[in-house]
Amino acid sequence: MPSAAPDYQLTRTYLELILELPWKKSTTDILDLAHARQVLDEDHFDLQDIKGRILEHLAVLKLNPQARAPILCFVGPPGVGKTSLGQSIARSMGRKFERASLGGMHDEAELRGHRRTYIGAMPGRIIQAIRRAGVLNPVLMLDEVDKLGRDYRGDPAAALLEVLDPAQNSTFRDNYLDLPFDLSRVFFITTANTLDTVPRPLIDRMEILRLTGYSEEEKVEIARRYLLPRQLAQTGLTPQQLTVPDETLKQIVSRYTREAGVRQLEHALGQVTRKVAVRFAEGNTQPVTVRPEDLPVMLGPERFFLERARQQLPAGVATGLAWTETGGDVLYVEATLLPGGRGLRLTGQLGEVMRESARAAQSFVWSHAGQLGIDPALFRGTGLHIHVPAGAVPKDGPSAGVAMVTALTSLYTQVPARSDTAMTGEITLTGLVLPIGGVKEKTLAARRAGIRRVVLPKDNEKDLRDLPDHVRKEMSFVFAERIEEALAATIPNVAKEPQMQADGRR
Ligand SMILES: Nc1ncnc2c1ncn2[C@@H]1O[C@H](COP(=O)(O)OP(=O)(O)OP(=O)(O)O)[C@@H](O)[C@H]1O
Ligand SMILES: [Mg+2]
């Protein structure tokens, strides 16, 4: 073909891709369990479940080299180590690591390639990643599957289904490449912050492994053993030159960061080490110890103040717990009567689900007025207003149900709820308390605010094992299957009366 021919360049690029793709080339796995464990522990604190799962797979590969790689999905809040864990897994097995981000991808062709007839056609992200890896068995991390888009250009999630199906992916066809490529030896790991937006069939194909947020103590441990040494190495300081005692780390964790993971913490430590590096570069030779008092100079004024729980609650207020991107938060549900008003008014940027949960709470309280010792006359001619501060922060989800019922019951009975108790749980109209997510983050948030007693749905009892031992010992938990049990734990005396009253009326 003469080089002036119109598709000379196109054909050449295509052939180059074919020649560059690792059709048969692979790396040999290191199947040494002791080595793998050491590498995994070197890179990450705790996360025992996931490390254990990787070691299991290595053991299987040792016995059966043809074994299929599992398709793992790491789910957890930002900065808890999902991406870096993938890298560490690759290192522990001696495999290449490649990453493709799926966030914001709308077009199926981005994943699977454009046909060569299109101008500017390219292979999809998967084939591109394989080409970069140069072997057909890398650890391939598909980041942010929960942020896949979907529109008229096709549904990338559907294309992912094929990629992640062990029965089909040995002959994966990229539109550009137009030849089957064997993906069956790729170790796929996907990551997501939440599974809510991941299509069901995709979830079914993956093995879900959850990473939870870290407690303050765990963060200090991670900072001391992992983040600080890494930052020191980066700035070229030795551990003798800079010491950051635990109390300083604790201060950084609680006053300069608010997050489930450790990303801000890592930035803050980077800032501290750089400030110290400047001193050494300017000729200082004395070892430096960073005390908590030095932090305002190095990191600026404290950014977060310890949240303190409200000591006294007026009637109509309940202490709820929320799961947020940055971990957990204590959230107060405030309710008040509007004499002469009508209906239910909801404020505080509540999402649709949360508004519905407020309505369900109202209906439950109204319909169980007798049992709860509430005078039904109160409902007539009075409106109701529920507000959930902070007003500017959007909130959603069903898990504030129990707190809403508590706030309303407390309002109508004029008995204040206990201020030392936080609660979370979804409710049904008939009075069941359904399980919720984020137990660890929520419990840690309560503890941070100085609350030591938490009401949880009965079905969440199993999640307590995610909590560090010292936290579990310090806190007391009440498990509720029905709203009445939750109310008994949150509003003094409200539970004993209902039985008598309900009987009395019958
Ligand atoms: N358990 C841990 N031990 C040591 N370092 C950790 C741990 N968890 C997180 N890190 C460190 O925190 C940083 C952020 O982690 P990473 O980028 O993997 O987060 P992520 O979970 O992928 O977050 P995102 O959801 O935002 O992508 C990394 O430098 C990582 O090494
Ligand atoms: Mg990541």
Side-chain angles (χ1 to χ4, degrees):
M1 185 185 258
S3 63
D7 21 355
Y8 174 83
Q9 201 53 44
L10 289 181
T11 313
R12 192 189 162 103
T13 331
Y14 178 59
L15 290 177
E16 270 170 4
L17 171 70
I18 294 190
L19 290 175
E20 265 180 47
L21 277 180
W23 297 93
K24 290 230 146 51
K25 213 161 119 204
S26 59
T27 48
T28 326
D29 289 341
I30 305 175
L31 296 178
D32 178 350
L33 266 63
H35 166 263
R37 190 184 299 271
Q38 188 200 335
V39 170
L40 293 172
D41 283 340
E42 241 167 60
D43 292 345
H44 287 91
F45 171 76
D46 199 31
L47 304 175
Q48 290 309 329
D49 289 353
I50 300 184
K51 290 179 181 168
R53 182 62 188 86
I54 301 304
L55 295 176
E56 274 170 30
H57 179 58
L58 287 182
V60 170
L61 276 181
K62 213 169 178 172
L63 303 179
N64 170 17
Q66 301 307 321
R68 280 210 178 114
I71 295 167
L72 304 182
C73 178
F74 296 162
V75 185
V80 291
K82 298 183 293 297
T83 307
S84 57
L85 191 58
Q87 276 165 325
S88 173
I89 289 171
R91 194 160 83 87
S92 73
M93 299 175 71
R95 288 203 181 190
K96 294 262 191 247
F97 178 81
E98 274 305 326
R99 207 181 136 242
S101 178
L102 307 183
M105 188 185 281
H106 281 279
D107 193 343
E108 192 189 330
E110 274 187 71
L111 198 68
R112 231 195 231 275
H114 295 269
R115 286 186 202 290
R116 284 197 310 285
T117 47
Y118 289 99
I119 296 175
M122 276 201 302
R125 299 261 177 108
I126 305 278
I127 290 295
Q128 285 181 26
I130 298 284
R131 180 194 207 167
R132 283 198 303 273
V135 288
L136 55 68
N137 66 341
V139 170
L140 179 51
M141 177 157 259
L142 303 174
D143 249 337
E144 319 195 48
V145 271
D146 54 331
K147 299 185 187 67
L148 271 180
R150 168 194 302 198
D151 62 15
Y152 62 94
R153 279 166 292 186
D155 181 358
L160 253 197
L161 284 181
E162 184 192 340
V163 173
L164 297 182
D165 186 345
Q168 296 180 43
N169 69 9
S170 58
T171 56
F172 172 70
R173 229 170 230 282
D174 182 273
N175 290 327
Y176 178 86
L177 182 61
D178 207 17
L179 291 168
F181 191 89
D182 183 5
L183 292 180
S184 62
R185 294 180 56 200
V186 176
F187 191 144
F188 284 105
I189 301 177
T190 62
T191 75
N193 290 131
T194 157
L195 285 184
D196 296 346
T197 49
V198 182
R200 192 73 232 175
L202 206 50
I203 298 181
D204 289 344
R205 283 198 176 35
M206 307 187 289
E207 197 177 319
I208 310 294
L209 295 173
R210 285 183 192 276
L211 288 86
T212 48
Y214 300 112
S215 71
E216 287 197 359
E217 286 76 5
E218 288 172 318
K219 287 183 190 168
V220 170
E221 191 85 11
I222 293 176
R224 172 160 30 82
R225 285 178 28 198
Y226 296 86
L227 304 180
L228 188 60
R230 251 183 257 161
Q231 293 298 336
L232 286 176
Q234 274 202 355
T235 38
L237 292 169
T238 63
Q240 287 74 40
Q241 286 174 311
L242 170 61
T243 323
V244 185
D246 277 4
E247 25 166 354
T248 311
L249 293 176
K250 191 154 186 248
Q251 190 82 355
I252 299 179
V253 167
S254 61
R255 301 299 170 90
Y256 291 91
T257 70
R258 173 131 320 153
E259 55 178 351
V262 292
R263 207 169 264 145
Q264 294 172 11
L265 177 58
E266 195 171 21
H267 290 313
L269 287 173
Q271 215 169 329
V272 169
T273 45
R274 283 193 305 275
K275 290 255 156 52
V276 174
V278 170
R279 290 196 207 164
F280 280 99
E282 285 174 347
N284 172 39
T285 47
Q286 295 302 310
V288 174
T289 302
V290 181
R291 303 247 153 253
E293 311 82 84
D294 305 332
L295 289 178
V297 180
M298 297 183 138
L299 296 176
E302 295 180 358
R303 288 205 273 144
F304 299 99
F305 298 96
L306 283 184
E307 357 167 14
R308 284 268 115 225
R310 301 186 193 174
Q311 293 306 322
Q312 289 262 309
L313 298 180
V317 179
T319 316
L321 293 170
W323 183 90
T324 64
E325 286 276 298
T326 56
D329 249 328
V330 171
L331 153 150
Y332 289 94
V333 176
E334 302 178 336
T336 180
L337 290 175
L338 304 175
R342 296 182 73 203
L344 176 64
R345 185 178 296 176
L346 296 167
T347 54
Q349 291 266 348
L350 312 187
E352 196 51 43
V353 180
M354 201 158 173
R355 303 176 81 87
E356 288 184 354
S357 144
R359 290 198 193 98
Q362 183 192 25
S363 301
F364 177 84
V365 173
W366 281 22
S367 60
H368 292 72
Q371 209 189 81
L372 297 172
I374 299 169
D375 178 5
L378 268 178
F379 305 140
R380 253 169 267 134
T382 43
L384 188 61
H385 186 157
I386 299 180
H387 178 65
V388 187
V393 184
K395 316 163 192 75
D396 204 359
S399 73
V402 169
M404 298 218 178
V405 173
T406 306
L408 292 184
T409 308
S410 151
L411 174 71
Y412 285 122
T413 54
Q414 285 298 306
V415 183
R418 284 176 65 160
S419 63
D420 66 342
T421 303
M423 62 207 81
T424 177
E426 178 173 352
I427 52 159
T428 71
L429 258 192
T430 48
L432 295 177
V433 177
L434 304 183
I436 42 82
V439 170
K440 180 178 179 188
E441 284 84 0
K442 288 175 176 174
T443 311
L444 292 177
R447 176 166 173 264
R448 223 175 20 235
I451 297 173
R452 292 283 181 269
R453 191 161 169 271
V454 179
V455 178
L456 291 174
K458 179 89 175 117
D459 288 341
N460 281 113
E461 197 168 354
K462 59 175 184 354
D463 297 323
L464 289 195
R465 70 182 192 106
D466 292 340
L467 290 172
D469 279 336
H470 62 273
V471 175
R472 208 175 327 146
K473 280 199 204 99
E474 230 172 78
M475 311 281 294
S476 73
F477 297 94
V478 180
F479 299 101
E481 237 173 340
R482 292 200 48 86
I483 293 180
E484 290 84 351
E485 290 160 22
L487 287 176
T490 52
I491 305 181
N493 299 329
V494 91
K496 281 178 224 122
E497 282 173 39
Q499 278 310 324
M500 287 166 17
Q501 279 210 354
D503 292 347
R505 297 211 171 172
R506 223 172 265 142

